[in-house]
Amino acid sequence: MYDLVITNIGQLLLPDQGPLKGGAMKQLAVEKQRALGIKDGRFAWIGSHEEGASLPAREKVDAEGKVVSPGLVDPHTHLVFGGSREGEMVLKQAGVPYLDILKQGGGILSTVKSTREETEAELFDKAKKHVRQMAAHGVTTLEAKSGYGLDRETEWKQLKVVKHLNEQGDIDIVSTFLGPHAIPLEYKGKSDAFLEEMIAMLPEIKKQNLAVFTDIFCETGVFTIEQSKHFMEASHQLGFQTKIHADEIDSLGGTELAAGLGAVSADHLVAASKQGIKQLAEGETTAVLLPGTTFYLGKDTYADARSMIDQGAAVALATDFNPGSCVTHNLQMIMSLAALKMKMTPEEIWNAVTVNASHAIGQKAGRIVKGKPADFVLWDVPNYQYIPYHYAANHAKMVWKNGRKVYERMDADVF
């Protein structure tokens, strides 16, 4: 007896094991008229619709010729934060550069102030709502960064919120310590001292298992290549895997640094150099691209996904959900931007939000495989190409995490 059987699947997407690099990203197994059997929270059987129709099950769902995919994976979010920054919209419309907003006490520093002021319970309740929104859009695994504390007390607070959210089990949440996300006002002109304070937190974070990864914002006016290397090497020595916000605005060489140190991912990469892209292709670091941020900031230049893939790199996509530069829960919208602005094919896009995104956060999600956790989505679309095509909508009809339904769109819902 199965707990659940999904029948009449028009297209079943079966991404290969990642990370998929270069030309391998163009390949996506799509099987028609299939069925799935789920038992004890795992995929227990995969077969034809005809076989599935005869299987005994406590519940059956007729997929009505639509699409079933693995649960989406969002490998770069800033999930836990206080306040909001809608007031900055006017500044952005006036063309004020982000780094200038930051100098005025806005940007990250505005969110830092709000996050410091809110209690752990308040941050938890707010983040939980964001998690539900992401799950409703098809995400079953995500990464969550700290970095809106910029002091010991608030960074701990953010990390504990992420841990408690993950323990609830609605979706899997992988924690990243991004203490060096900006330089707080109290450390203006003393960035080295602040960085050492963040490094001093690492042993206790490791001991309490509050983060799997560390991350640093390597950018003009924030942390230099040398400082980023120092932080990443200190993290490696303590057993952390590393990530880096690299070459988002200026081409500083963060992509090369990530590839040279074997970082799990290098994120943003809008200004990545040709040499940096070459090193990504030659190494094992995944490029996590965030076109929603470029779109929201009103920029014209997007990360060069086409060159990265064509030269042989592994590319993943993420929302960069945060209160200042990309305020969206909708990874489906990011898929559309990847097609429209970065010229990625539908097959590349699906691999980028499943297996490659999973690899970028050290997980084994993003696939439909017998014996593995049953994380999957029933999409109310006729084919897998439709989601990048029909942008800014939520096409998820039902979402399951570990075989448990975490979202179902009612017929009366607007979508």
Side-chain angles (χ1 to χ4, degrees), residues 2-229:
Y2 292 91
D3 299 319
L4 172 66
V5 172
I6 312 293
T7 62
N8 202 25
I9 300 171
Q11 291 185 341
L12 177 63
L13 307 190
L14 299 169
D16 202 353
Q17 183 172 348
L20 302 177
K21 300 184 68 175
M25 289 189 65
K26 302 178 188 297
Q27 308 301 316
L28 178 65
V30 181
E31 298 185 357
K32 298 181 179 181
Q33 292 301 303
R34 303 296 279 172
L36 292 173
I38 290 86
K39 187 173 183 179
D40 298 329
R42 295 180 177 271
F43 295 114
W45 177 86
I46 304 173
S48 69
H49 163 62
E50 291 76 15
E51 293 173 297
S54 64
L55 291 178
R58 294 182 176 86
E59 180 185 2
K60 285 196 174 183
V61 173
D62 186 345
E64 301 179 347
K66 295 184 170 40
V67 174
V68 171
S69 80
L72 304 186
V73 180
D74 193 339
H76 184 129
T77 82
H78 300 260
L79 178 66
V80 182
F81 58 84
S84 61
R85 283 160 41 195
E86 60 271 19
E88 292 178 15
M89 180 72 79
V90 175
L91 296 176
K92 292 169 185 171
Q93 290 171 330
V96 179
Y98 174 74
L99 292 179
D100 288 347
I101 295 174
L102 187 65
K103 289 176 183 177
Q104 297 172 26
I108 289 174
L109 297 180
S110 172
T111 300
V112 167
K113 182 177 183 296
S114 298
T115 306
R116 288 178 177 181
E117 291 171 350
E118 291 190 15
T119 67
E120 184 176 330
E122 289 171 331
L123 292 173
F124 178 90
D125 289 343
K126 184 176 183 178
K128 187 173 179 65
K129 291 178 183 178
H130 295 315
V131 168
R132 288 173 176 166
Q133 284 282 346
M134 292 176 182
H137 285 83
V139 171
T140 56
T141 302
L142 63 85
E143 182 254 23
K145 303 178 188 295
S146 68
Y148 289 130
L150 307 185
D151 63 17
R152 296 178 64 89
E153 179 182 356
T154 316
E155 290 294 319
W156 285 119
K157 186 166 60 175
Q158 285 188 270
L159 292 171
K160 287 191 290 184
V161 167
V162 172
K163 182 177 182 179
H164 294 155
L165 285 169
N166 186 50
E167 289 171 346
Q168 285 205 345
D170 291 340
I171 66 175
D172 289 333
I173 305 177
V174 178
S175 180
T176 295
F177 173 59
L178 178 58
H181 192 194
I183 300 167
L185 291 175
E186 59 267 31
Y187 277 90
K188 186 176 181 180
K190 300 183 292 183
S191 60
D192 284 340
F194 173 67
L195 190 62
E196 291 305 322
E197 182 174 339
M198 295 298 99
I199 290 172
M201 293 180 64
L202 295 177
E204 189 62 25
I205 292 172
K206 189 69 174 178
K207 181 179 178 180
Q208 296 191 29
N209 195 30
L210 289 175
V212 177
F213 299 99
T214 67
D215 197 347
I216 186 168
F217 190 11
C218 179
E219 188 54 74
T220 302
V222 193
F223 295 99
T224 66
I225 287 289
E226 292 73 21
Q227 289 172 321
S228 300
K229 182 179 180 182

Side-chain angles (χ1 to χ4, degrees), residues 134-404:
M134 292 176 182
H137 285 83
V139 171
T140 56
T141 302
L142 63 85
E143 182 254 23
K145 303 178 188 295
S146 68
Y148 289 130
L150 307 185
D151 63 17
R152 296 178 64 89
E153 179 182 356
T154 316
E155 290 294 319
W156 285 119
K157 186 166 60 175
Q158 285 188 270
L159 292 171
K160 287 191 290 184
V161 167
V162 172
K163 182 177 182 179
H164 294 155
L165 285 169
N166 186 50
E167 289 171 346
Q168 285 205 345
D170 291 340
I171 66 175
D172 289 333
I173 305 177
V174 178
S175 180
T176 295
F177 173 59
L178 178 58
H181 192 194
I183 300 167
L185 291 175
E186 59 267 31
Y187 277 90
K188 186 176 181 180
K190 300 183 292 183
S191 60
D192 284 340
F194 173 67
L195 190 62
E196 291 305 322
E197 182 174 339
M198 295 298 99
I199 290 172
M201 293 180 64
L202 295 177
E204 189 62 25
I205 292 172
K206 189 69 174 178
K207 181 179 178 180
Q208 296 191 29
N209 195 30
L210 289 175
V212 177
F213 299 99
T214 67
D215 197 347
I216 186 168
F217 190 11
C218 179
E219 188 54 74
T220 302
V222 193
F223 295 99
T224 66
I225 287 289
E226 292 73 21
Q227 289 172 321
S228 300
K229 182 179 180 182
H230 175 54
F231 179 75
M232 294 170 76
E233 289 178 338
S235 299
H236 279 148
Q237 290 172 5
L238 289 167
F240 289 97
Q241 299 180 74
T242 57
K243 296 173 165 288
I244 182 173
H245 283 56
D247 299 328
E248 178 182 2
I249 301 170
D250 295 325
S251 183
L252 300 184
T255 310
E256 292 91 325
L257 176 65
L261 292 181
V264 172
S265 75
D267 301 22
H268 284 290
L269 310 187
V270 176
S273 69
K274 291 181 180 179
Q275 178 60 30
I277 292 174
K278 180 175 183 292
Q279 288 185 225
L280 282 178
E282 293 171 347
E284 300 302 321
T285 299
T286 298
V288 175
L289 306 185
L290 313 167
T293 305
T294 304
F295 170 79
Y296 191 79
L297 293 177
K299 303 292 186 180
D300 296 323
T301 302
Y302 287 73
D304 193 356
R306 205 52 283 139
S307 289
M308 293 177 192
I309 295 171
D310 291 346
Q311 291 189 44
V315 168
L317 293 166
T319 59
D320 192 20
F321 170 66
N322 73 81
S325 61
C326 196
V327 196
T328 184
H329 305 103
N330 191 351
L331 190 55
Q332 297 167 53
M333 174 66 176
I334 304 306
M335 295 168 72
S336 295
L337 290 175
L340 294 168
K341 298 297 186 179
M342 300 196 300
K343 311 305 178 187
M344 291 175 65
T345 68
E347 296 78 14
E348 292 167 344
I349 290 167
W350 278 102
N351 285 319
V353 296
T354 55
V355 289
N356 278 11
S358 177
H359 181 76
I361 54 174
Q363 300 296 293
K364 295 182 179 180
R367 299 177 69 209
I368 294 176
V369 178
K370 284 179 62 176
K372 297 299 182 182
D375 301 351
F376 63 105
V377 183
L378 171 60
W379 301 98
D380 194 9
V381 296
N383 55 68
Y384 70 90
Q385 296 99 328
Y386 192 90
I387 291 177
Y389 153 76
H390 186 167
Y391 73 98
N394 182 12
H395 299 290
K397 173 65 175 175
M398 300 180 189
V399 181
W400 286 266
K401 177 66 184 179
N402 293 322
R404 182 175 65 88

